[in-house]
Amino acid sequence: MARECVDVLGPAGYGAVQVSPPHDSMSKGGSVWWDVYQPARYTLTSKFGDENAFKNMIDACHGAGVKVHVDAVVNHMTGQGSTSYGGYSFSKYNYPGLYSSWDFRNSPSCVIDDEDYKKNGWRVQNCELVSLADLDTGSGYVRDRIAGWLNRLTALGVDGFRIDAAKHIHPDDLAAIKAKLTGSPYLHLEVIYGEGEAVQPSQYTGIGDVHEFVFGRKMKEQFTGQIKWLRTFGESWGLSVPADRAVTFVDNHDTERKDASKNDATLNYKYGDTYKLANVFMLAWPYGTPRVYSGFTWSDKEAGPPSANGGFVTDTDCGNGRWTCFHRQMAGMAGFHKAVAGTSVADWYDNDDNVIAFSRGNKGWVAINNGSGSVTRTFTTGLPAGTYANVAGSGSVTVGSGGTASVTVPAKSAVAVHVGGGPTPTPTATPSPTVSPGRVAASFNANATTYWGQNVFVVGDAAELGSWNPANAVALSAADYPVWKATVNLPAGRTISYKYIKKNPDGSVTWESDPDRSFTTPATGTVTRTDTWR
Ligand code: ARE
Ligand code: CA
């Protein structure tokens, strides 16, 4: 996570990252993902690492301008097991040094039934969620322990909390815990909307933002149907909390695992381009605070993430197929979301089927083709004239003086451009046919991995390479990705220093590491530099 904050999340413009529950939890030795939702004690000795690693992660993320949110599991403790990842021994209702049986609502103990959700709000908040020992959040002692845990995290630098199973904590209890918090961490609550249920999301909006589960359900419905209907998307669609209180998402770690036939199922990474396009829409349309979900790949829905030595999660590798690293695919759109903040939707277009386009003020424009055929037309973009990089894919869009642009949107893809993402100069991929005397054609071939919205340039001490000014660097073409290429005419017989740089969706620049690269151009002919990003 620390690495990802520095390399990807920060440069892309993501505002925050929500991490998995970091408390010491019951251990199922790596066989399942959900043991982390059974807290054993409030220490940072989890399957994800220890307190040092956690603190380093926070510092690295803050250094990259990314806030850190923690998934806080405070409605309950465990329902099974006896040993934690940190080597602590406990039993249900008995956590030495922390809680004993009287801190739970277990006399008489009851377990929430499916029909309780509609009929009995008291049982939803006081009985056990899937047999997990339900904390007596009405007790001062319990409230102090919970607030103490959250305050320790705040002291380490945590900026916000997802409150797990908030629906199962009475709003008055949650408000009392909130009143004991130091600072003002951002709270977002998991209160799942269910039609006709006794406990409703609207009862919690006075405490924090609320996860809008209707959003993901609607995204699945529309993107597996016709997206032209999204023109009117908003609160009137039966969303459960107002936009300014909603955290939106296409899926989360629970909904991605629901059987597709269930009405609370959502899209997930297995839907490929359809999933991607729904996320593009979420980041482009003004509704709520969007959250992109990034997890690990699975076929068994119980299976845990890649781990070793009894379930300790190994470092994420975005190249081995075990992790979706989906946040990388949305990196360009995170920059788009940030760039268009505060603007409204205009210039709506749809083809009466599965292609839509709209602008966000004079800051951004997006086209989404959820259909099976490519579409080429002249769109009104609302943008100032210029050439902009497509941050939802590859290539660029040239907007004319009237704000219109002729754009091709291939089937199942999107084009998104925004002001400030940096107009990409047209790649000078082809050498000019005649090389004037005293000059030689130098080809730069750089093997560089990028995420969506990032582009590679070469910059150096020659005027033709921008005289070390990134703004005048030469764009490389991604046509042979991961090898980025350009050919530049350089003075013959001269020693040239250069480096490759990446321009990020938010306009910032990432430089290769030192030292500078250098070579001497020949007296005549051509020269090719074959390099790997470092
Ligand atoms: C596991 C086993 C259980 C066992 C239990 C205790 O699967 O068989 O009884 O352990 O030993 C996750 C997993 C659970 C897992 C649990 C603890 O999903 O399977 O139980 O971890 O390890 C309701 C809640 C909502 C909750 C969902 C799952 O309202 O808060 O159920 N979501 C959060 C997390 C989950 C997590 C927990 C809570 C527990 O996101 O990942 O559970 O910390 C309607 C209602 C919803 C209701 C839903 C149930 O839609 O409107 O409110 O959600 O039905 O499907
Ligand atoms: Ca409860």
Side-chain angles (χ1 to χ4, degrees):
M1 195 66 74
R3 183 203 66 207
E4 207 65 2
C5 274
V6 173
D7 290 353
V8 179
L9 300 177
Y14 279 105
V17 59
Q18 178 193 315
V19 301
S20 295
H23 55 244
D24 195 10
S25 77
M26 178 275 279
S27 166
K28 291 275 277 180
S31 58
V32 300
W33 60 267
W34 45 257
D35 49 6
V36 300
Y37 285 95
Q38 303 199 25
R41 61 174 172 169
Y42 301 143
T43 60
L44 290 157
T45 45
S46 72
K47 65 155 98 167
F48 305 107
D50 59 17
E51 183 158 335
N52 268 335
F54 186 77
K55 177 69 179 149
N56 289 341
M57 178 267 296
I58 292 173
D59 292 347
C61 290
H62 284 176
V66 181
K67 292 186 169 160
V68 176
H69 294 188
V70 153
D71 194 345
V73 184
V74 296
N75 170 66
H76 51 260
M77 297 297 281
T78 63
Q80 58 183 276
S82 58
T83 320
S84 74
Y85 281 100
Y88 164 81
S89 296
F90 60 87
S91 61
K92 189 178 176 186
Y93 309 124
N94 204 337
Y95 307 87
L98 179 59
Y99 297 127
S100 313
S101 57
W102 49 82
D103 299 316
F104 296 90
R105 294 189 157 133
N106 66 331
S107 69
S109 84
C110 52
V111 173
I112 302 167
D113 295 324
D114 281 351
E115 55 267 32
D116 288 337
Y117 284 106
K118 285 213 166 152
K119 290 193 189 140
N120 194 329
W122 187 91
R123 284 179 56 92
V124 170
Q125 287 166 343
N126 296 286
C127 292
E128 295 181 348
L129 170 63
V130 295
S131 299
L132 295 159
D134 200 58
L135 283 162
D136 178 5
T137 47
S139 128
Y141 176 83
V142 170
R143 289 174 179 179
D144 284 343
R145 297 286 83 65
I146 293 173
W149 161 235
L150 301 183
N151 288 340
R152 273 197 52 221
L153 294 171
T154 302
L156 287 169
V158 170
D159 307 280
F161 299 104
R162 167 203 187 248
I163 306 292
D164 179 71
K167 183 194 253 184
H168 304 274
I169 305 173
H170 194 282
D172 292 348
D173 292 356
L174 213 44
I177 293 165
K178 181 183 172 184
K180 291 175 187 284
L181 298 183
T182 49
S184 46
Y186 171 54
L187 301 183
H188 45 112
L189 320 180
E190 190 223 11
V191 184
I192 304 179
Y193 171 79
E195 203 187 330
E197 287 196 7
V199 181
Q200 288 291 325
S202 56
Q203 294 159 4
Y204 288 83
T205 48
I207 299 168
D209 284 354
V210 176
H211 294 188
E212 178 54 90
F213 280 77
V214 180
F215 185 89
R217 296 170 199 166
K218 295 292 178 196
M219 288 302 114
K220 176 164 185 245
E221 198 178 279
Q222 299 304 304
F223 278 86
T224 56
Q226 284 178 308
I227 61 172
K228 65 166 182 175
W229 302 112
L230 289 169
R231 180 176 199 153
T232 61
F233 184 80
E235 235 171 295
S236 64
W237 278 45
L239 294 174
S240 65
V241 285
D244 63 350
R245 303 262 61 172
V247 170
T248 53
F249 46 96
V250 172
D251 63 336
N252 74 10
H253 68 282
D254 290 328
T255 70
E256 70 162 339
R257 293 179 162 80
K258 298 264 174 185
D259 289 337
S261 60
K262 298 278 165 57
N263 74 346
D264 55 355
T266 59
L267 298 171
N268 63 22
Y269 79 91
K270 294 174 197 263
Y271 285 77
D273 291 334
T274 305
Y275 177 63
K276 223 181 269 182
L277 294 180
N279 276 277
V280 168
F281 177 79
M282 172 178 76
L283 291 162
W285 190 262
Y287 196 90
T289 301
R291 186 180 57 168
V292 172
Y293 174 64
S294 192
F296 59 92
T297 58
W298 51 273
S299 48
D300 167 6
K301 63 180 185 165
E302 307 278 315
S307 66
N309 305 323
F312 292 90
V313 178
T314 44
D315 282 353
T316 304
D317 175 351
C318 285
N320 68 4
R322 303 284 316 272
W323 300 86
T324 69
C325 290
F326 186 69
H327 60 282
R328 290 193 177 186
Q329 296 190 42
M330 285 300 119
M333 285 307 298
F336 181 100
H337 179 81
K338 196 173 168 184
V340 303
T343 64
S344 32
V345 171
D347 302 314
W348 177 272
Y349 163 82
D350 69 62
N351 68 346
D352 200 26
D353 187 12
N354 248 322
V355 180
I356 62 172
F358 55 91
S359 65
R360 291 291 306 274
N362 57 1
K363 292 284 198 285
W365 175 82
V366 63
I368 301 176
N369 182 351
N370 189 42
S372 51
S374 173
V375 169
T376 301
R377 68 182 301 280
T378 299
F379 292 93
T380 301
T381 68
L383 294 184
T387 300
Y388 302 90
N390 174 14
V391 298
S394 59
S396 59
V397 169
T398 299
V399 175
S401 53
T404 60
S406 169
V407 181
T408 297
V409 195
K412 283 296 197 185
S413 74
V415 173
V417 292
H418 67 84
V419 171
T424 310
T426 315
T428 50
T430 23
S432 61
T434 47
V435 176
S436 36
R439 299 170 73 75
V440 292
S443 297
F444 292 89
N445 296 346
N447 192 314
T449 315
T450 51
Y451 55 80
W452 282 14
Q454 259 187 337
N455 287 291
V456 180
F457 293 70
V458 60
V459 64
D461 59 354
E464 294 81 355
L465 295 179
S467 305
W468 287 120
N469 180 354
N472 299 325
V474 176
L476 274 55
S477 158
D480 294 318
Y481 184 85
V483 180
W484 293 73
K485 294 183 177 173
T487 299
V488 185
N489 293 331
L490 294 175
R494 218 193 95 179
T495 301
I496 305 280
S497 299
Y498 68 102
K499 260 187 183 175
Y500 297 102
I501 58 175
K502 290 178 183 171
K503 294 196 182 179
N504 302 310
D506 70 349
S508 64
V509 171
T510 305
W511 288 79
E512 272 196 305
S513 56
D514 284 333
D516 294 339
R517 301 176 182 276
S518 110
F519 71 109
T520 302
T521 53
T524 54
T526 62
V527 58
T528 299
R529 304 295 302 164
T530 302
D531 299 311
T532 298
W533 174 273
R534 50 159 208 237

